[in-house]
Amino acid sequence: MAAERDPPPPGDAGQARFGEAEDGEDLFVVLCSPASLPAEDISANSNGPKLVDSFLDDDPDDLFAEATEEVSLDSPEREPILSDGPSPAITPIMAPRIDSTLFDQALEEEEDNGDTFDICISVSDPEKVGDGMNAYMAYKVTTKTSLSVFSQNELSVRRRFSDFLGLHSKLASKYMHSGYIVPPAPEKSIVGMTKVKVGKEDSSSTEFVEKRRSALERYLMRTVKHPVMLKDPNVLQFLESSELPRAVSTQALSGAGILRMVNKAADAVNKMTIKMNESDAWFEEKQQQFENLDAQFRKLHASVESLVCHRKELSLNTASFAKSAAMLGNSEDHTALSRALSQLAEMEEKMEQLHMDQAYADFYLFAELLGDYVRLLTAVKGVFDQRMKTWSKWQDAQLMLQRKREAEAKLQYANKPDKLQQAKDEIKEWEGKVQQGERDFEQISKTIRKELGRFEKERVKDFKSVIIKYLESLVQTQQQLIKYWEAFLPEAKAIA
Amino acid sequence: MPTISQEYKTALRSVSVDLNNDVSLLIDIPDALCERDKVKFTVHTKTTLSVFQKPEFSVPRQHEDFIWLHDTLVETEEYAGLIIPPAPPKPDFESPREKMHKLGEGEATMTKEEYTKMKQELEAEYLAVFKKTVQVHEVFLQRLSSHPVLSKDRNFQIFLEYDQDLSVRRKMPRRCLVVSSRTWLKSADEVLISGVKEVDDFFEQEKTFLLDYSTKIKDSTTKAERMTRAHKNVADDYIHVAAILNSISAEENTALKKHLDKFSDMFEKLRKVEGRVASDQELKLTELLRYYTRDIQAAKDLLYRRARALDKARLKSKDVAQAEDNQRQCMQKFEKLSESGKKELTSFKGRRVVAFRKNLVEMAELEIKHAKNSVSLLQGCIETLKNC
């Protein structure tokens, strides 16, 4: 099944930018639907004043280094984002060396395998390690793959929840600001975890562990499906190394945690004050589309959770009816009727389990998928925010350049040769920054287009698959229902 | 104001056995009107009996009229040895009314489609309550008409025929003294019946059985009600899910659109099936249990009356010879009561067994039908989606 790609909207404004024939871009063309992309001249992306050559050639350090600006790594997400290590406000961000060849390889692989990606990760065997409040759950992470980037075909390691969070925060800090949609990590749950720690062996804590295990597995699969993430050394290390340094700064109340919250607040303020001139209709349209999708998914998620809840209630009420019917059967003095009532009770007991199983299917297939997508859409919205910030930075640079030029003009008449020279130097510096800002903006826009295309493709695939699986679960339940009632019917008819 | 049309009537199944068999006296409730909170039943009689003025006639009756009739029969001493069919419960529109209230509150958060569907569901529920109340009132009358003794009761005939407002007659003095508080009497009866030494094996067994069974069946009724309600909630959730999927699909421009469309459509179809499963279960199981909870109570009432009569007969034996005559009379009454009581209780058991069988079989058949329907709907949808 060929996944469809969003064709870029017609006209200048929406055109994806293609430089001269470049390895990465050739592949990009190949992946798009044939009709859409003419080998265009570099057309102006109307957000910027001038044309820029293909920038994949540029020194990655230049592209991504943002030495002076205070940038929060984290896009505003619902849950506190966990970034690793010291706050980004203090240290400069090291540029990820996004080697374009790596990117191409990833695309190539995807192209070769069509829709199947030759790696399978499973998270299993949760085991409680330690005692009391310091206890934690360790999960076995098994990777089965034939990809060459891995050292073996089958790997197995043990990881704990904070390891996953640590991985996510590293990836977020590396890639989010460039416009990559970093798959969000599963949510923390203080209540859930505490129950497990204190050793409550009831069904709610087993359910919690299973829910978490499943979420971690989905998280890893999503992460490795992303061609850029898959090649990241952190990911490889996570899946391969037997020992992993403990990610301590993922705790909410650590020093890093506090800093994260501060940055998040600053971020929110900035978001309100940046008013971007969106002249690219494609982005405007997409942003609106994803806002709507987000609202709808949240609503749907809530409805499905209500369905799960009611189905569980149905199961419990069926169980209690079954018990009552059994007692009624015992009390009944007509022999045949008494037997039939007992059979009814037994059947209703089986129904109880059937309803509960369906409730689990409702939850794990449907509700959790929606939950994942609600979190993913937040990441998508974050990516748009990053673009906005990049634009803003570029605009600020332009403003600064203007000021420097004005200052220089004034100095022309002041007869202070060394100050004049300094002013001229500063102008040069800021011209560079303006160019950089524009390049950054164009790069992030380009990345986001690719990312959104990939996101939509994945979304279509995920939902198609889940819809069918879920319907099949409903079929199974109904078929089982038929079996139970058909077994009961002769018992009812036997009442004489 | 909903009325019952003939089509609905044919769908109604009495929880008791088919009662309306004797052509000499055929009764049904073909129509009913709901005015604010009052339900007006049209009681229609077709008869060959000469005691009635016309061979066919209809009268309007309210729920209170039925209660009057029931109470009158209960208080008729001659009928002490009979199981008086339980009075129909008061029409209870509380549940749909509450739902309507909630719907009104939630209107702002729903899409127009969702709201319409919820409203449809609400109307269906309202109609179901209505159908049920007509059914129980009808069955009450049919139980009377098919009883060899009770069908000849003068008050019953007045109820069927009197074309004026019965509330005037209702205020007329009754033949026997009325017992003031039912609950008081009930607890006194419980004490009496458990204390009285039973001479007859049959009644001893019946007593043990009925006392235990009535508690159990009451409990089963409650649990069945809860089960049915949960089922209805699931069906309602399907409505919401279908509606939201529909909105998402409307704005979807990827290959997913068709899938979402079909998925939403499937939920819409399934919720209709689930709704019917819930209401069939309600009618066949919950209603059955509800009815027989009341009927068991009527049988228990017979035992209480008998116990009282026995007590009365025994008491008198302590008195002087003058009361001997009285005592003989009481003893006679008691024996007659016991004899008819035995007959009644035996036929009651037969009736109960037949009704349970009928309803359990019908419920199983309906459940199988609905499940097969669901399976074929689902499989059809899956096929379409796989080829999509």
Side-chain angles (χ1 to χ4, degrees):
Chain A
M1 228 178 339
E4 284 171 27
R5 222 166 205 282
D6 262 353
D12 268 352
Q15 215 68 75
R17 303 200 62 240
F18 292 107
E20 280 104 33
E22 175 68 33
D23 272 356
E25 285 166 333
D26 271 345
L27 270 171
F28 191 57
V29 171
V30 161
L31 284 174
C32 288
S33 47
S36 52
L37 305 165
E40 271 260 346
D41 268 351
I42 302 163
S43 58
N45 182 323
S46 358
N47 272 315
K50 31 181 258 183
L51 310 174
V52 173
D53 283 337
S54 149
F55 39 79
L56 279 180
D57 263 335
D58 290 351
D59 184 0
D61 278 342
D62 240 350
L63 259 180
F64 296 112
E66 291 166 350
T68 53
E69 221 73 2
E70 184 207 312
V71 179
S72 168
L73 290 176
D74 312 328
S75 44
E77 281 201 23
R78 271 205 297 164
E79 302 291 319
I81 285 291
L82 318 142
S83 55
D84 194 24
S87 154
I90 303 174
T91 52
I93 302 139
M94 286 320 291
R97 294 200 75 93
I98 297 194
D99 202 346
S100 58
T101 52
L102 279 181
F103 196 97
D104 306 344
Q105 263 174 36
L107 292 178
E108 230 169 343
E109 234 139 29
E110 210 171 340
E111 177 75 345
D112 284 344
N113 301 333
D115 282 338
T116 53
F117 202 55
D118 192 16
I119 177 171
C120 182
I121 303 186
S122 64
V123 175
S124 59
D125 305 320
E127 228 176 52
K128 187 165 159 204
V129 178
D131 255 319
M133 286 315 284
N134 288 328
Y136 62 90
M137 280 309 233
Y139 303 86
K140 180 165 150 191
V141 178
T142 311
T143 311
K144 289 198 179 93
T145 178
S146 64
L147 295 175
S148 52
V149 68
F150 289 96
S151 57
Q152 293 166 268
N153 278 2
E154 188 162 335
L155 312 149
S156 187
V157 291
R158 287 203 81 79
R159 295 283 179 256
R160 55 184 289 187
F161 187 64
S162 56
D163 293 335
F164 290 81
L165 297 182
L167 173 65
H168 172 261
S169 86
K170 288 202 188 99
L171 295 175
S173 65
K174 267 172 99 163
Y175 298 107
M176 222 183 264
H177 63 88
S178 306
Y180 289 101
I181 302 170
V182 179
E187 293 175 355
K188 281 180 156 181
S189 165
I190 298 175
V191 174
M193 237 0 242
T194 312
K195 270 205 211 155
V196 174
K197 285 184 197 205
V198 300
K200 266 192 96 179
E201 284 290 328
D202 65 354
S203 63
S204 72
S205 48
T206 11
E207 247 182 71
F208 170 78
V209 172
E210 172 53 28
K211 184 175 164 187
R212 176 160 280 192
R213 182 210 66 77
S214 170
L216 291 173
E217 190 172 281
R218 294 192 311 267
Y219 165 68
L220 285 180
M221 278 307 287
R222 279 225 175 76
T223 305
V224 297
K225 275 195 193 138
H226 195 299
V228 171
M229 309 283 150
L230 178 59
K231 308 296 185 175
D232 187 280
N234 289 299
V235 171
L236 299 176
Q237 184 191 40
F238 182 90
L239 294 174
E240 286 186 322
S241 324
S242 47
E243 289 296 317
L244 214 61
R246 181 87 192 280
V248 284
S249 58
T250 57
Q251 285 153 356
L253 292 179
S254 60
I258 307 279
L259 262 152
R260 274 196 294 274
M261 286 195 255
V262 169
N263 283 334
K264 228 183 105 167
D267 228 15
V269 172
N270 278 340
K271 189 175 171 184
M272 289 191 276
T273 55
I274 297 176
K275 180 68 179 94
M276 178 164 155
N277 278 341
E278 185 61 78
S279 44
D280 189 340
W282 188 88
F283 276 94
E284 193 166 339
E285 193 187 302
K286 282 296 165 187
Q287 202 157 358
Q288 190 56 56
Q289 180 193 332
F290 282 104
E291 288 281 338
N292 292 344
L293 204 61
D294 180 57
Q296 296 284 45
F297 272 27
R298 278 169 204 265
K299 262 176 88 176
L300 187 58
H301 187 223
S303 280
V304 176
E305 292 211 303
S306 164
L307 172 63
V308 173
C309 184
H310 284 141
R311 223 193 280 275
K312 280 192 178 157
E313 199 185 322
L314 175 60
S315 170
L316 292 171
N317 290 358
T318 305
S320 94
F321 173 72
K323 287 197 189 81
S324 181
M327 304 244 299
L328 188 64
N330 281 343
S331 173
E332 174 63 58
D333 65 350
H334 185 273
T335 330
L337 179 54
S338 166
R339 229 191 72 159
L341 287 171
S342 304
Q343 297 288 21
L344 178 69
E346 258 182 53
M347 189 204 57
E348 294 286 358
E349 244 181 64
K350 294 197 190 118
M351 298 281 242
E352 165 205 352
Q353 190 53 51
L354 197 62
H355 288 307
M356 195 50 99
D357 289 342
Q358 183 60 58
Y360 284 142
D362 292 342
F363 181 72
Y364 282 106
L365 287 175
F366 204 1
E368 286 286 76
L369 174 75
L370 289 170
D372 285 352
Y373 267 88
V374 165
R375 280 191 294 275
L376 269 166
L377 283 170
T378 310
V380 169
K381 289 199 289 187
V383 133
F384 281 109
D385 291 343
Q386 292 293 339
R387 180 172 172 267
M388 204 164 65
K389 271 197 263 183
T390 312
W391 179 85
S392 171
K393 213 179 128 196
W394 174 28
Q395 297 304 305
D396 290 348
Q398 284 183 316
L399 230 72
M400 191 56 97
L401 176 62
Q402 179 135 351
R403 267 190 228 140
K404 295 293 177 189
R405 285 194 173 133
E406 283 166 11
E408 192 243 11
K410 278 198 206 135
L411 283 172
Q412 289 279 7
Y413 302 102
N415 198 25
K416 291 191 184 144
D418 37 309
K419 277 235 168 93
L420 190 58
Q421 186 54 44
Q422 184 187 2
K424 285 202 201 290
D425 288 340
E426 282 178 359
I427 288 179
K428 261 250 150 43
E429 183 193 341
W430 281 98
E431 275 173 350
K433 287 206 174 131
V434 167
Q435 279 182 6
Q436 186 60 58
E438 184 177 4
R439 279 202 296 269
D440 287 347
F441 181 74
E442 278 154 13
Q443 179 61 50
I444 199 176
S445 300
K446 181 171 169 184
T447 305
I448 291 178
R449 278 175 190 266
K450 277 199 193 130
E451 284 288 282
L452 290 183
R454 212 189 66 86
F455 177 82
E456 286 289 76
K457 198 164 142 207
E458 282 300 306
R459 179 169 75 93
V460 168
K461 209 161 70 162
D462 280 350
F463 273 82
K464 276 188 180 174
S465 146
V466 162
I467 287 175
I468 291 185
K469 278 205 198 109
Y470 181 68
L471 291 176
E472 284 173 347
S473 85
L474 289 175
V475 172
Q476 221 176 0
T477 301
Q478 294 295 318
Q479 284 173 330
Q480 199 57 23
L481 261 171
I482 294 174
K483 280 207 190 96
Y484 291 154
W485 282 107
E486 282 182 340
F488 175 70
L489 187 55
E491 300 287 343
K493 287 189 168 155
I495 303 171
Chain B
M1 305 300 146
T3 63
I4 292 283
S5 74
Q6 205 51 39
E7 331 162 344
Y8 289 132
K9 278 296 310 292
T10 51
L12 288 179
R13 284 277 152 265
S14 102
V15 289
S16 188
V17 197
D18 287 320
L19 292 166
N20 226 17
N21 286 326
D22 187 357
V23 275
S24 64
L25 185 59
L26 292 170
I27 307 178
D28 71 325
I29 301 182
D31 221 332
L33 252 175
C34 190
E35 236 162 64
R36 257 175 277 148
D37 269 2
K38 287 239 170 269
V39 183
K40 275 203 164 67
F41 304 94
T42 304
V43 179
H44 169 251
T45 312
K46 229 167 149 181
T47 177
T48 57
L49 299 173
S50 52
V51 68
F52 292 99
Q53 288 179 4
K54 287 186 271 183
E56 190 169 350
F57 46 88
S58 288
V59 291
R61 290 287 176 254
Q62 288 180 22
H63 170 72
E64 286 71 24
D65 301 329
F66 288 76
I67 300 301
W68 164 81
L69 178 60
H70 171 263
D71 290 352
T72 312
L73 295 171
V74 167
E75 286 138 21
T76 308
E77 223 185 296
E78 291 154 43
Y79 304 146
L82 306 175
I83 298 178
I84 310 292
K90 196 170 161 147
D92 179 19
F93 292 97
E94 187 54 49
S95 169
R97 208 176 294 136
E98 199 187 302
K99 232 174 157 169
M100 179 163 71
H101 187 71
K102 264 198 210 139
L103 185 67
E105 282 180 348
E107 188 179 351
T109 59
M110 294 186 216
T111 66
K112 196 161 145 251
E113 243 181 63
E114 227 174 322
Y115 182 74
T116 315
K117 298 229 169 77
M118 288 300 284
K119 198 153 155 266
Q120 271 176 11
E121 270 307 296
L122 182 64
E123 281 167 8
E125 194 170 317
Y126 199 75
L127 197 59
V129 171
F130 196 55
K131 269 162 43 175
K132 254 191 303 180
T133 195
V134 166
Q135 183 189 52
V136 295
H137 284 78
E138 190 181 73
V139 163
F140 172 69
L141 294 176
Q142 289 174 344
R143 284 276 299 271
L144 292 174
S145 69
S146 52
H147 195 283
V149 176
L150 293 171
S151 58
K152 303 197 175 71
D153 181 81
R154 186 65 203 132
N155 284 304
F156 180 46
Q157 288 163 354
I158 291 170
F159 177 94
L160 293 173
E161 210 179 16
Y162 189 65
D163 57 2
Q164 306 288 311
D165 191 352
L166 257 188
S167 40
V168 176
R169 283 218 68 146
R170 279 197 265 136
K171 293 197 178 92
M172 281 175 61
R174 289 178 263 230
R175 277 190 266 167
C176 306
L177 267 176
V178 183
V179 268
S180 46
S181 166
R182 290 218 156 171
T183 45
W184 172 85
L185 185 67
K186 204 161 270 177
S187 33
D189 274 334
E190 300 276 2
V191 172
L192 190 64
I193 205 175
S194 38
V196 152
K197 176 111 171 37
E198 190 49 76
V199 290
D200 190 329
D201 259 347
F202 173 83
F203 282 101
E204 179 62 37
Q205 265 181 329
E206 282 299 304
K207 182 175 81 173
T208 318
F209 166 69
L210 284 175
L211 285 178
D212 184 44
Y213 200 74
S214 76
T215 331
K216 303 274 160 57
I217 200 172
K218 209 185 286 184
D219 183 62
S220 293
T221 308
T222 315
K223 302 281 160 62
E225 277 170 355
R226 286 205 200 121
M227 191 170 66
T228 310
R229 194 162 327 133
H231 225 128
K232 287 204 184 123
N233 285 340
V234 169
D236 281 347
D237 282 331
Y238 278 19
I239 297 181
H240 296 299
V241 171
I244 303 174
L245 283 171
N246 205 13
S247 320
I248 297 178
S249 158
E251 294 178 14
E252 185 73 31
N253 55 11
T254 68
L256 203 48
K257 189 186 180 74
K258 213 193 276 182
H259 286 247
L260 291 172
D261 258 339
K262 292 262 176 294
F263 198 35
S264 157
D265 191 45
M266 183 81 314
F267 267 99
E268 179 52 37
K269 292 201 172 87
L270 285 178
R271 70 106 176 167
K272 290 205 177 100
V273 180
E274 285 302 314
R276 228 161 278 148
V277 169
S279 69
D280 282 342
Q281 192 180 74
E282 158 111 82
L283 219 57
K284 299 290 162 193
L285 186 64
T286 315
E287 262 308 294
L288 174 74
L289 293 169
R290 257 191 223 124
Y291 186 81
Y292 278 94
T293 307
R294 292 197 295 272
D295 224 358
I296 294 279
Q297 186 58 47
K300 265 166 81 181
D301 286 343
L302 168 58
L303 285 187
Y304 294 151
R305 288 196 291 272
R306 183 173 165 279
R308 267 182 266 141
L310 180 59
D311 199 55
K312 218 160 126 187
R314 282 190 181 154
L315 259 171
K316 295 295 191 255
S317 69
K318 295 201 187 111
D319 281 3
V320 207
Q322 264 183 9
E324 241 181 57
D325 215 26
N326 214 330
Q327 191 212 346
R328 215 182 326 121
Q329 263 185 23
C330 282
M331 210 51 203
Q332 262 177 2
K333 267 194 199 143
F334 170 72
E335 254 136 42
K336 206 176 116 202
L337 204 162
S338 291
E339 199 187 305
S340 110
K342 200 180 235 170
K343 250 196 290 188
E344 287 276 297
L345 287 168
T346 313
S347 80
F348 168 62
K349 180 180 313 213
R351 236 183 322 122
R352 187 178 83 244
V353 171
V354 171
F356 267 75
R357 182 188 189 281
K358 179 170 181 283
N359 282 280
L360 289 176
V361 167
E362 281 175 5
M363 177 168 73
E365 287 172 344
L366 282 166
E367 289 266 355
I368 293 170
K369 181 177 116 183
H370 292 315
K372 284 191 170 152
N373 189 15
S374 295
V375 168
S376 88
L377 284 171
L378 285 163
Q379 281 176 334
C381 182
I382 293 174
E383 260 317 296
T384 315
L385 289 179
K386 280 187 169 160
N387 296 331
C388 215

